Amino acid sequence: MRAGPADAGCPRTIAPIIAAMSESPTLELACGLIRCASVTPDDAGCQSMLADRLAPLGFRAESMRFEDVDNLWARRGGDGPLLVLLGHTDVVPTGPPDDWSSPPFEPTIRDGILYGRGAADMKGSIAAMVTAIERFVERHPEHRGSVALLVTSDEEGPSVNGIRRVIETLGRRGEHIDWCLVGEPSSTDRLGDTVRIGRRGSLNGTMVVRGIQGHVAYPHLARNPVHDLARLLAKLADTVWDEGGEHFPPTSFQVSNVTAGTGADNVIPGQAEAVFNFRFSTRHDRDSLVAEVESACRGFGLDCDIDWRLSGEPFLTKPGRLIEAVGSAVVSVVGYRPELSTAGGTSDGRFVAPTGAEVVELGPVNASIHSIDEHVLAADLDRLSDMYERVITDLLAG
Ligand SMILES: [Zn+2]
């Protein structure tokens, strides 16, 4: 089945041909969201569509715009415990639209598969969250605690004015999150086979080693920073930072760029530069890694400056109510138990975990995310919505 041509701007109603799919409100909403060309940080109207859905259910929908980033905080209930469903409406650029089998912002179903930018990452999940909330509220209007939807439009970008700023705001207000279910596409081969219960930390550094420029024929009058840098990098690359743990692979140090030299073959350059990254387990944090690298620099007696950029500290959600609820929801819907993993890239869960919340990611199969012809099994969206509803019910039905 093929959707009608994309409307100008972002439609609030779904084109008639998609209405034919109204036996699945989740699929219908996912299609509506995909039609909004919301490339980071442009939300393109997605969040107002979500707010319009939730407001009649008794949610207090608040749009929080920081700089050029739209965020939506919609909460139902004033008491704890607070369960937050977390996602993002922004998508990565499409790449050449002509390389797609169908236009990237025109949701298209072929052989039971929904194609479109954001289908898997993560407009399908957001649609599943909203319809799960709708059914839950209808069945449990007097639920305990609070349920909230938190959505940003810069998860795929710098992640500065999105969830990070919203969490700061909620913290100032004393709105404490107990559980956070993230809709990132966590599944590997089939829906629910993997859920993420933590993430490795990521720390980048740019190191500049200064020497003394000179003629290669007179090395005693120069100091070669390439040789110094090479010795230091060899030591760091050989270091066993830790052995990993039950849920984490060993911490890894990787060099991504090395630059030095004047281009001439008879000049010892004045400085050399390396860019590197740590992916690290909860056995380390930013400060411990910085201290070890700086001590190695001192050990070699180097004149060295390092510019550090932390993408996120690692986190691990301990076994508790949320992991339990997610595990049994997956088993109830698909019949198998998910693997608990910390692999993959970073997500906005890294900004929520430090508040003390339990954070778990459960979403569709991630094989096609960020690719040409991004897609998701259409039937998976209903199953995912069912899983989300079971988690909410388990935690808040009362
Ligand atoms: Zn994502």
Side-chain angles (χ1 to χ4, degrees):
M1 199 183 311
R2 197 179 168 86
D7 297 348
C10 178
R12 297 296 178 85
T13 55
I14 308 301
I17 191 147
I18 294 182
M21 301 183 295
S22 60
E23 67 274 14
S24 171
T26 305
L27 185 55
E28 191 177 317
L29 178 56
C31 290
L33 292 169
I34 290 170
R35 283 172 167 258
C36 304
S38 54
V39 177
T40 315
D42 186 4
D43 171 65
C46 293
Q47 292 177 15
S48 60
M49 193 189 294
L50 302 173
D52 289 351
R53 282 287 275 246
L54 296 178
L57 302 178
F59 279 75
R60 202 165 61 83
E62 203 180 327
S63 112
M64 293 190 192
R65 187 175 169 91
F66 298 109
E67 310 280 331
D68 57 349
V69 175
D70 287 306
N71 304 285
L72 173 67
W73 170 244
R75 174 171 179 164
R76 186 179 200 271
D79 302 331
L82 169 58
L83 165 64
V84 172
L85 306 184
L86 176 68
H88 60 88
T89 42
D90 59 317
V91 295
V92 294
T94 62
D98 288 347
D99 289 357
W100 286 65
S101 309
S102 49
F105 295 115
E106 191 177 307
T108 303
I109 298 175
R110 291 190 299 273
D111 301 327
I113 296 170
L114 171 65
Y115 292 85
R117 174 56 86 225
D121 185 11
M122 56 169 281
K123 291 177 170 177
S125 308
I126 291 182
M129 287 172 168
V130 169
T131 55
I133 288 170
E134 286 173 341
R135 294 191 308 277
F136 169 73
V137 169
E138 192 186 328
R139 288 169 190 169
H140 305 278
E142 306 294 331
H143 63 81
R144 74 182 188 118
S146 304
V147 59
L149 181 73
L150 173 52
V151 173
T152 185
S153 62
D154 90 330
E155 196 276 344
E156 303 286 10
S159 300
V160 169
N161 291 310
I163 298 304
R164 189 196 297 253
R165 298 281 300 270
V166 176
I167 291 298
E168 284 168 9
T169 305
L170 296 179
R172 278 198 299 275
R173 291 181 187 172
E175 293 191 73
H176 171 72
I177 300 171
D178 295 276
W179 303 299
C180 178
L181 180 57
V182 188
E184 289 292 346
S186 63
S187 304
T188 308
D189 297 315
R190 49 186 186 161
L191 179 68
D193 62 0
T194 308
V195 300
R196 298 201 195 291
I197 57 165
R199 293 278 184 168
R200 288 186 291 175
S202 175
L203 175 65
N204 294 296
T206 301
M207 168 187 285
V208 177
V209 175
R210 276 176 297 273
I212 298 170
Q213 185 173 328
H215 195 299
V216 293
Y218 302 90
H220 56 289
L221 299 177
R223 174 164 182 168
N224 195 324
V226 180
H227 297 186
D228 285 340
L229 179 63
R231 277 190 283 270
L232 176 60
L233 293 181
K235 176 181 168 58
L236 297 175
D238 284 345
T239 298
V240 176
W241 300 89
D242 60 48
E243 306 283 353
E246 191 192 346
H247 293 293
F248 287 100
T251 292
S252 127
F253 167 85
Q254 294 296 320
V255 180
S256 57
N257 293 267
V258 175
T259 34
T262 63
D265 55 13
N266 58 356
V267 177
I268 293 170
Q271 68 174 42
E273 187 178 305
V275 181
F276 59 88
N277 173 268
F278 281 101
R279 291 293 154 113
F280 57 104
S281 73
T282 45
R283 288 164 195 248
H284 287 278
D285 60 17
R286 175 198 182 277
D287 292 348
S288 68
L289 293 171
V290 167
E292 285 200 51
V293 172
E294 289 182 345
S295 134
C297 288
R298 280 195 301 276
F300 283 105
L302 302 189
D303 178 4
C304 175
D305 278 330
I306 306 175
D307 175 33
W308 295 97
R309 298 174 305 284
L310 178 70
S311 300
E313 294 280 7
F315 71 89
L316 181 66
T317 294
K318 304 250 164 27
R321 286 289 287 125
L322 184 58
I323 290 182
E324 240 171 62
V326 169
S328 53
V330 171
V331 171
S332 305
V333 176
V334 291
Y336 42 83
R337 190 156 281 284
E339 182 195 335
L340 307 179
S341 157
T342 59
T346 56
S347 91
D348 276 343
R350 70 194 142 138
F351 301 123
V352 183
T355 68
E358 294 175 25
V359 178
V360 175
E361 299 179 13
L362 166 64
V365 173
N366 55 33
S368 68
I369 60 171
H370 297 206
S371 308
I372 300 288
D373 284 347
E374 178 178 346
H375 60 270
V376 68
L377 202 58
D380 274 357
L381 297 186
D382 281 330
R383 286 195 277 261
L384 186 60
S385 179
D386 195 359
M387 291 174 186
Y388 289 156
E389 185 192 351
R390 284 167 192 268
V391 173
I392 306 169
T393 304
D394 192 340
L395 297 172
L396 295 181

